[in-house]
Amino acid sequence: MTLPSDLKDRFPLLSQMVHGHQIVYLDSAASSQKPASVIDAMNNYYRTINANVHRGAYEIAAQATEEMEQARTRIATFIGSDSPNEVVFTKNATESFNLIARSWGGNALSQGDAVLITDMEHHANIVPWQILSAEKGFEIRWLPLTPEGLLDLSHLDQLLDGVKMVSITAMSNVLGTLNPVAEIAERAHAAGALVAVDGSQYVPHLPTDVQELNADLLCFTGHKMCGPTGIGVLWGREEILDSMPPFLGGGEMILDVRRDGFTPNELPHKFEAGTPPIAEIIGLGAAVDFLSSLGMDNIRQHEITLTDYALRSLKDRYGEELVIHGPSDPAQRGGVVSLQYRDIHPHDLSQVLDQRGICIRAGHHCAKPLMKELGVGATSRASFYLYNNEADVDALVDSLELAGELFSV
Amino acid sequence: MTLPSDLKDRFPLLSQMVHGHQIVYLDSAASSQKPASVIDAMNNYYRTINANVHRGAYEIAAQATEEMEQARTRIATFIGSDSPNEVVFTKNATESFNLIARSWGGNALSQGDAVLITDMEHHANIVPWQILSAEKGFEIRWLPLTPEGLLDLSHLDQLLDGVKMVSITAMSNVLGTLNPVAEIAERAHAAGALVAVDGSQYVPHLPTDVQELNADLLCFTGHKMCGPTGIGVLWGREEILDSMPPFLGGGEMILDVRRDGFTPNELPHKFEAGTPPIAEIIGLGAAVDFLSSLGMDNIRQHEITLTDYALRSLKDRYGEELVIHGPSDPAQRGGVVSLQYRDIHPHDLSQVLDQRGICIRAGHHCAKPLMKELGVGATSRASFYLYNNEADVDALVDSLELAGELFSV
Amino acid sequence: MSGLEELYKEIILDHYRNPRHRGELDCPPAHKSEGFNPLCGDEVSLTFEIEDGSIKQLRITGQGCSISQASASMMAAAVQDKSIEDVRMLSREFKAMMSIHEETMAAADQETVSAASLTLGDLEALKGVVKFPVRIKCATLSWNTLLTGLDDLDG
Amino acid sequence: MSGLEELYKEIILDHYRNPRHRGELDCPPAHKSEGFNPLCGDEVSLTFEIEDGSIKQLRITGQGCSISQASASMMAAAVQDKSIEDVRMLSREFKAMMSIHEETMAAADQETVSAASLTLGDLEALKGVVKFPVRIKCATLSWNTLLTGLDDLDG
Ligand SMILES: Cc1ncc(COP(=O)(O)O)c(C=O)c1O
Ligand SMILES: Cc1ncc(COP(=O)(O)O)c(C=O)c1O
């Protein structure tokens, strides 16, 4: 099965003109565009059933609660979770990691312990540990990369010694690398560590099954998977979430509040303090419906094909003038292509491409330790999603030439 | 100046039918309805400029950043702040309080210190302090109420002894009481304490000037002020926010990340980890424009008139059968009316009213310590906003009679 | 009034205003179980004594809406002197009336229920709740609290 | 190409590829100031020596896009041997060209600027940046870093 060819039509933004060109959006790793069905789901919520949830006995409050909780159930199913109680809503993947670090780590970690992350992590999976480590004094250990940008597992078992948590990305937002999460998780579990997975780039693009991933905790973010801003997810095995103390305090997350203390609510509400992002949860539910209707297998296949085409086109046309980071086999990577073209700085390249309506990202992609490993300050990154096609890749490839001309003076 | 009489037409939800009746929405203290202009602003964002902010050099990313930062500036102006750098976006007021407790309190509070809150606080301004207090061992002190439901300031100076933070609501979400924040702040400052204000019920309904309030920190939430879900605000004086360590760690909130640590970003980004709620910030900007176009003074006047009308109508019709909590003078309170009608439990009352399309809230309103002071388990609460009118009040008053009949068997 | 009269039947209001079996037994020998509906804040606290596998005494305290309190009062009357087995069956039958079909309620179980031919009796008065789905949790609060208490006996 | 040629003038690319005054001076006697553009990660680090109220030497390290690095290089050439006063004026004139009108730049100041008749010279080549608002911060990064460094002298 392939994806329908008219997918762009379902995304209102993709018909926008930029500087006289129809937009070519190649920055989905930063944030994806939204199908009309997702935008409409939120509109409908605001226009017909908007009300605060969980505490209202009247009709629209009951409907809002029902829609929100149904979305939770569908999101749980989407990632192969046993129970909607394992799906905690946060504001983004970053908050999900802070929740893990503060709530799980604040309880479990102290001097002498270690947390293992990798050299390709996003700041969201680095800084929360650094903040906590400054308080608790545990060690942060880094799993290194091979020259091709894969995780180097040759010393994994040594590195796991004394580690209580392995927190790794399933897919790099810079290199595109897909990591062997299940294998690492097996070895981590054998060493007595828990495994948290950054699914921010993975869940939107590949079929996800938390059981197969062998993960204990999984973080992802709505806006990269056709959903709205302002919504993230923390999935966790029920017994692990149960063992963690609350993170933020306030309404909804309590069963009782007395002057001398409070009794936390049950999962998942224990971790959802205050009025939840109701419209955003409903929007993310619609996004998951949209993705499921296309089929995650088909999306993955489409992206492999497109990435393969892009890697070949770029190499064929520019050869040695171009450095492409990360693994060369499209089956080992997602649709993220970080490149360096001649001596043109990424910021300049992205500026030039913008004049043709082509959106790529330039910068450190919130992965400064990785930039240091790669020996660069920034990369230019094009990233693909279900709505991109070969014409988009052609536009990218052609426009590099323009940049080359401008900089050949 | 009075408000336009056709305001209901600007709120799509208010033309909904519920159980065969046009909806009468009297639960704005829980969450307000949204004008079309706010819904449209978010639509427009998603349909025309959706892109991740702050790190994109291309056109729509620049526009998204610009729109978001302009919204920040307008929100700063709306509350009389000197600078947009003082406006930090969170996911709701609850997160704002957790930020204060964890970041300011985690740094400043230890055994022997005290935080003063009041008997009428929402759980959002109780539980974060309780969580921190369990770690740090400081004392939480409670400012009591008078029988009418005003703050009892007669022992304030004694209570302030040893207090480092006074954290109080500007308006009770149960009693409607408006508190003398500026006066308390003056005395708190004289005693060397900072003052955090819960503006969740105040900012949506009264002209707000942080300078006049004499506050150091102010929390409020978007969904109660015609804005979307998923967005809250923490305002703070620049020098106080500057002195506070970061709260959540991740992208956006850093200037640099190295293996051995990170350098935080400047205000306000220091406190905004991860992809911000971009659409929601733009939506809140549109909400603030909408409120400003009506005039906060006019909104306040409208609500005084309506509350006065409601209090009189209810008393005239039901006399002793009805208990109304909180101050009797409409000038001392906002448009929140908590009541007890005969022996009918609030949950039952709200169920009966729902059959006529009338939405009121029943419960503890996330203020369990206050419920205990009032000696009730729950109240029925009707709350008004700019779109309510005397016909809505009449519907409420009439329908109590129906409930009375049902329960007279 | 779309079912409101059916919801607020006279017998329900009577149990609400004159709850049966109010009070608290000494623990031990009695067992205690507390339930809580976060939606509306309804609370039920049960104390009960078990003798020869049957509920000998059961007392209730708590606060909440007419449905939750009347349901608790009716339950107290219904389970008095019943075997734990029968109480469990009765609770399934009650929940089935509330349109709650538990996964654990296999076909075989259902037969058993009808075989035992336990009648809901007064409890039938709560049938009107089904039309108001948000209130089902109110009606089942006391039953779930009792089941939790019985489960804890084995635990 | 809507202004791209005007942005990427030959002289700018020349400064980008062959930056002038690269390096670092010993501190002390030199002073150091570091600047950072969180948007794109551009960095500039300046070391400079002050003698008799003038900038005697100035050296630059850093990394970033052509605009930020060329601007730094051009600035280094432009401020060499200028008095702090003149450097401040030049920076105001440069920012004015970048369409940045600072509140502190009162009418009186503006007169002074023209009176001093400092010419931007090569710096004029950066005028094309104005058409690309997101890049203005790149062009002004080194200037702001220098101004911070000069402010710190007084502090
Ligand atoms: C007085 C008061 N404070 C805080 C809050 C918390 O707001 P949110 O749930 O949006 O965080 C509310 C509303 O629920 C409130 O009424
Ligand atoms: C790999 C990875 N992890 C985490 C994040 C953080 O997501 P968010 O900014 O939505 O919290 C991102 C995206 O920015 C990412 O690419």
Side-chain angles (χ1 to χ4, degrees):
Chain A
M1 276 271 307
T2 55
L3 296 180
S5 60
D6 66 343
L7 271 180
K8 280 202 199 231
D9 298 344
R10 306 203 205 160
F11 290 78
L13 186 134
L14 296 179
S15 60
Q16 284 291 305
M17 303 295 285
V18 172
H19 303 305
H21 301 264
Q22 189 174 333
I23 198 165
V24 177
Y25 189 74
L26 296 175
D27 195 20
S28 297
S31 199
S32 78
Q33 295 307 329
K34 325 299 174 201
S37 64
V38 167
I39 303 175
D40 292 347
M42 293 189 285
N43 277 346
N44 282 343
Y45 164 74
Y46 283 127
R47 300 177 82 97
T48 63
I49 58 166
N50 171 70
N52 214 329
V53 290
H54 287 307
R55 281 163 301 163
Y58 54 84
E59 184 66 22
I60 61 169
Q63 279 177 265
T65 307
E66 175 76 11
E67 291 259 323
M68 167 175 151
E69 293 304 329
Q70 275 186 9
R72 192 194 303 270
T73 301
R74 271 145 44 221
I75 292 161
T77 305
F78 184 73
I79 56 169
S81 162
D82 290 335
S83 156
N85 290 345
E86 298 188 331
V87 170
V88 171
F89 290 117
T90 59
K91 65 177 174 177
N92 52 27
T94 303
E95 188 191 351
S96 301
F97 274 109
N98 280 275
L99 196 169
I100 296 177
R102 175 63 61 186
S103 171
W104 177 84
N107 221 23
L109 295 173
S110 55
Q111 202 134 15
D113 294 328
V115 169
L116 180 65
I117 62 178
T118 83
D119 275 359
M120 61 167 87
E121 295 311 315
H122 187 279
H123 295 163
N125 188 23
I126 302 174
V127 183
W129 300 112
Q130 291 182 329
I131 292 178
L132 193 70
S133 160
E135 269 175 48
K136 303 274 175 183
F138 61 87
E139 180 195 350
I140 297 173
R141 235 174 257 167
W142 303 71
L143 192 60
L145 308 186
T146 68
E148 209 195 347
L150 302 173
L151 289 180
D152 178 354
L153 303 186
S154 51
H155 302 286
L156 178 59
D157 291 329
Q158 278 148 270
L159 282 169
L160 280 171
D161 185 49
V163 164
K164 284 200 165 167
M165 172 67 82
V166 175
S167 193
I168 54 172
T169 189
M171 172 177 150
S172 162
N173 65 320
V174 177
L175 306 171
T177 316
L178 292 167
N179 291 324
V181 172
E183 179 194 338
I184 295 173
E186 199 181 323
R187 290 165 71 176
H189 287 150
L194 290 182
V195 176
V197 175
D198 185 350
S200 303
Q201 297 292 341
Y202 187 93
V203 175
H205 298 279
L206 290 94
T208 302
D209 182 327
V210 287
Q211 321 300 344
E212 271 177 33
L213 279 178
N214 205 352
D216 300 301
L217 298 150
L218 174 74
C219 304
F220 56 103
T221 197
H223 65 95
K224 294 191 207 276
M225 53 191 288
C226 295
T229 55
I231 179 74
V233 174
L234 168 64
W235 169 86
R237 291 194 196 282
E238 199 153 350
E239 65 274 20
I240 293 170
L241 293 179
D242 258 333
S243 75
M244 287 159 53
F247 175 50
L248 305 181
E252 305 264 353
M253 55 69 71
I254 55 93
L255 282 184
D256 193 21
V257 177
R258 303 163 310 277
R259 289 208 187 186
D260 65 352
F262 68 95
T263 312
N265 203 337
E266 283 158 22
L267 286 179
H269 310 293
K270 179 168 91 174
F271 292 114
E272 295 180 353
T275 303
I278 308 169
E280 292 76 6
I281 292 170
I282 290 169
L284 185 58
V288 155
D289 293 345
F290 175 78
L291 294 172
S292 303
S293 76
L294 296 176
M296 291 307 298
D297 280 317
N298 298 327
I299 292 172
R300 171 63 182 146
Q301 198 48 56
H302 175 80
E303 291 182 18
I304 292 182
T305 310
L306 207 58
T307 306
D308 183 39
Y309 179 72
L311 294 177
R312 279 189 291 109
S313 305
L314 287 165
K315 279 273 162 60
D316 287 357
R317 179 91 153 256
Y318 299 104
E320 300 293 290
E321 290 188 316
L322 199 69
V323 175
I324 296 180
H325 301 286
S328 50
D329 174 7
Q332 280 198 313
R333 62 185 296 158
V336 166
V337 179
S338 271
L339 51 82
Q340 190 68 44
Y341 177 49
R342 301 197 350 204
D343 70 343
I344 306 179
H345 190 275
H347 205 189
D348 292 311
L349 188 65
S350 131
Q351 175 81 62
V352 172
L353 267 56
D354 178 51
Q355 292 300 311
R356 293 215 169 158
I358 302 168
C359 310
I360 64 164
R361 187 135 304 225
H364 54 62
H365 315 295
C366 295
K368 290 203 101 184
L370 173 59
M371 292 293 119
K372 198 153 187 203
E373 286 307 304
L374 297 176
V376 298
T379 78
S380 306
R381 184 187 69 185
S383 53
F384 310 125
Y385 207 9
L386 48 96
Y387 36 69
N388 291 118
N389 55 30
E390 299 199 345
D392 295 340
V393 173
D394 292 342
L396 168 71
V397 175
D398 288 345
S399 62
L400 287 190
E401 188 146 327
L402 168 71
E405 277 163 23
L406 274 167
F407 273 74
S408 66
V409 260
Chain B
M1 276 271 306
T2 53
L3 297 181
S5 60
D6 66 344
L7 271 181
K8 280 200 198 230
D9 299 344
R10 305 201 206 162
F11 290 78
L13 186 134
L14 295 179
S15 60
Q16 284 291 305
M17 302 295 284
V18 172
H19 302 306
H21 300 264
Q22 188 173 334
I23 197 166
V24 176
Y25 189 74
L26 296 175
D27 195 20
S28 296
S31 198
S32 78
Q33 295 306 328
K34 326 300 174 201
S37 64
V38 166
I39 302 174
D40 292 346
M42 293 189 285
N43 278 345
N44 283 342
Y45 164 74
Y46 283 125
R47 300 178 81 96
T48 63
I49 59 167
N50 172 69
N52 214 328
V53 291
H54 287 308
R55 284 161 301 163
Y58 54 85
E59 183 66 21
I60 61 168
Q63 279 177 266
T65 307
E66 175 76 12
E67 290 258 325
M68 168 175 149
E69 292 305 329
Q70 275 186 9
R72 192 195 301 272
T73 301
R74 272 146 43 222
I75 292 161
T77 306
F78 185 73
I79 57 168
S81 162
D82 290 335
S83 156
N85 291 345
E86 297 187 331
V87 171
V88 171
F89 291 117
T90 57
K91 65 177 174 180
N92 52 27
T94 303
E95 188 191 351
S96 301
F97 274 109
N98 281 275
L99 197 169
I100 297 177
R102 175 64 59 185
S103 170
W104 176 85
N107 220 22
L109 295 173
S110 53
Q111 201 134 16
D113 295 328
V115 169
L116 181 65
I117 63 178
T118 82
D119 276 357
M120 62 167 87
E121 294 311 314
H122 186 280
H123 295 162
N125 189 24
I126 300 174
V127 183
W129 300 112
Q130 291 181 329
I131 293 177
L132 194 71
S133 160
E135 271 177 47
K136 302 275 176 183
F138 60 86
E139 178 195 353
I140 297 173
R141 232 173 258 167
W142 302 73
L143 193 59
L145 308 186
T146 68
E148 210 195 345
L150 302 172
L151 289 179
D152 178 355
L153 303 185
S154 51
H155 302 286
L156 178 60
D157 291 328
Q158 278 149 269
L159 282 170
L160 279 171
D161 185 49
V163 165
K164 283 198 165 167
M165 173 66 83
V166 176
S167 194
I168 53 172
T169 189
M171 173 176 150
S172 162
N173 65 319
V174 177
L175 306 170
T177 316
L178 292 166
N179 291 324
V181 172
E183 180 195 336
I184 295 171
E186 198 180 324
R187 290 164 71 178
H189 288 150
L194 290 182
V195 176
V197 175
D198 184 350
S200 302
Q201 297 293 341
Y202 187 93
V203 175
H205 298 279
L206 290 93
T208 302
D209 183 326
V210 286
Q211 321 301 344
E212 270 177 33
L213 279 179
N214 205 352
D216 300 300
L217 298 150
L218 174 73
C219 303
F220 55 104
T221 198
H223 66 95
K224 293 189 208 277
M225 54 191 287
C226 296
T229 54
I231 178 73
V233 174
L234 168 64
W235 168 87
R237 290 193 196 285
E238 199 153 350
E239 66 273 21
I240 294 170
L241 292 180
D242 258 333
S243 75
M244 286 158 54
F247 174 50
L248 305 181
E252 304 264 352
M253 55 69 71
I254 57 93
L255 282 184
D256 194 20
V257 177
R258 302 163 310 278
R259 288 208 189 187
D260 65 352
F262 68 94
T263 313
N265 204 337
E266 284 159 21
L267 287 179
H269 310 294
K270 177 168 92 174
F271 292 114
E272 295 179 355
T275 302
I278 309 170
E280 291 78 5
I281 292 170
I282 289 170
L284 186 58
V288 155
D289 294 345
F290 175 78
L291 294 171
S292 304
S293 76
L294 296 176
M296 291 306 297
D297 280 318
N298 299 327
I299 292 171
R300 171 63 182 146
Q301 198 49 56
H302 175 80
E303 292 182 16
I304 291 182
T305 309
L306 207 58
T307 307
D308 183 39
Y309 179 72
L311 295 177
R312 278 190 292 109
S313 305
L314 287 165
K315 280 275 164 61
D316 287 356
R317 180 93 153 255
Y318 300 102
E320 299 294 290
E321 289 187 317
L322 200 70
V323 175
I324 296 179
H325 299 289
S328 50
D329 175 6
Q332 280 198 313
R333 62 184 295 157
V336 167
V337 179
S338 271
L339 51 83
Q340 190 67 45
Y341 178 49
R342 302 197 349 202
D343 71 344
I344 306 178
H345 191 275
H347 205 189
D348 292 310
L349 188 65
S350 133
Q351 174 82 61
V352 172
L353 267 55
D354 178 50
Q355 293 298 314
R356 291 214 169 160
I358 302 168
C359 310
I360 65 165
R361 189 137 301 228
H364 54 62
H365 315 295
C366 295
K368 289 202 99 182
L370 174 58
M371 291 295 119
K372 196 151 187 203
E373 286 306 306
L374 297 176
V376 298
T379 78
S380 307
R381 182 186 72 184
S383 53
F384 310 124
Y385 207 8
L386 49 92
Y387 35 69
N388 291 117
N389 55 30
E390 300 199 346
D392 296 340
V393 173
D394 293 341
L396 168 70
V397 175
D398 289 344
S399 62
L400 286 191
E401 189 146 325
L402 167 71
E405 278 163 25
L406 274 167
F407 272 75
S408 65
V409 258
Chain C
M1 269 326 296
S2 33
L4 277 180
E5 286 90 353
E6 254 185 78
L7 181 63
Y8 295 117
K9 292 225 179 80
E10 201 174 330
I11 180 166
I12 291 182
L13 296 181
D14 181 51
H15 274 275
Y16 172 51
R17 293 196 174 117
N18 309 298
R20 327 293 199 257
H21 305 279
R22 285 296 278 193
E24 213 166 330
L25 301 170
D26 284 339
C27 299
H31 308 275
K32 184 168 188 162
S33 180
E34 291 178 303
F36 194 76
N37 179 351
L39 173 67
C40 50
D42 288 357
E43 294 168 5
V44 163
S45 171
L46 308 175
T47 43
F48 56 93
E49 277 171 23
I50 301 286
E51 229 179 272
D52 297 334
S54 290
I55 293 184
K56 263 284 133 323
Q57 288 216 69
L58 186 147
R59 291 283 176 280
I60 299 175
T61 61
Q63 53 167 9
C65 69
S66 62
I67 305 300
S68 71
Q69 300 307 304
S71 175
S73 167
M74 291 165 134
M75 178 188 81
V79 302
Q80 200 79 12
D81 292 321
K82 285 231 165 46
S83 72
I84 295 182
E85 189 100 322
D86 280 357
V87 169
R88 286 192 196 276
M89 279 183 201
L90 201 58
S91 87
R92 279 193 216 133
E93 215 171 318
F94 182 76
K95 286 189 183 181
M97 182 176 80
M98 291 291 130
S99 302
I100 299 174
H101 299 283
E102 289 169 341
E103 291 164 41
T104 52
M105 197 158 109
D109 276 334
Q110 289 191 352
E111 263 172 58
T112 332
V113 171
S114 19
S117 74
L118 287 160
T119 51
L120 288 167
D122 274 10
L123 292 169
E124 295 258 11
L126 283 161
K127 201 149 77 185
V129 174
V130 183
K131 286 201 183 154
F132 301 89
V134 280
R135 308 303 294 279
I136 291 176
K137 279 198 178 162
C138 308
T140 53
L141 175 63
S142 51
W143 287 94
N144 287 330
T145 308
L146 180 56
L147 288 175
T148 307
L150 294 177
D151 286 349
D152 286 350
L153 294 181
D154 313 333
Chain D
M1 272 321 299
S2 30
L4 277 181
E5 287 89 352
E6 253 183 78
L7 181 63
Y8 295 116
K9 291 227 178 80
E10 202 174 328
I11 180 167
I12 290 180
L13 296 182
D14 181 51
H15 274 272
Y16 171 51
R17 293 196 173 117
N18 310 298
R20 328 292 200 258
H21 305 279
R22 283 297 277 193
E24 214 167 331
L25 302 171
D26 285 339
C27 302
H31 307 275
K32 184 167 188 162
S33 180
E34 291 177 303
F36 193 76
N37 180 351
L39 174 65
C40 50
D42 287 358
E43 295 168 3
V44 163
S45 170
L46 308 175
T47 44
F48 56 92
E49 278 172 21
I50 300 288
E51 228 181 272
D52 297 335
S54 288
I55 292 183
K56 264 282 131 334
Q57 290 215 67
L58 184 145
R59 292 283 176 278
I60 298 175
T61 61
Q63 55 166 10
C65 68
S66 62
I67 305 300
S68 72
Q69 301 306 305
S71 175
S73 167
M74 290 165 134
M75 178 188 80
V79 302
Q80 200 77 13
D81 292 320
K82 286 232 164 48
S83 72
I84 293 181
E85 190 100 323
D86 280 358
V87 169
R88 285 190 195 277
M89 277 182 202
L90 200 57
S91 86
R92 275 191 218 134
E93 216 170 317
F94 181 77
K95 287 190 181 181
M97 183 176 80
M98 292 290 129
S99 301
I100 299 174
H101 297 284
E102 289 170 341
E103 289 163 42
T104 52
M105 196 158 109
D109 276 333
Q110 287 192 351
E111 266 171 56
T112 334
V113 172
S114 21
S117 72
L118 288 161
T119 52
L120 288 168
D122 274 9
L123 293 169
E124 295 259 10
L126 284 161
K127 202 150 75 186
V129 174
V130 184
K131 287 203 185 153
F132 301 89
V134 280
R135 309 302 295 277
I136 291 176
K137 278 197 179 162
C138 308
T140 53
L141 175 64
S142 53
W143 286 95
N144 287 332
T145 308
L146 179 56
L147 288 174
T148 307
L150 294 176
D151 287 348
D152 286 349
L153 295 181
D154 313 334

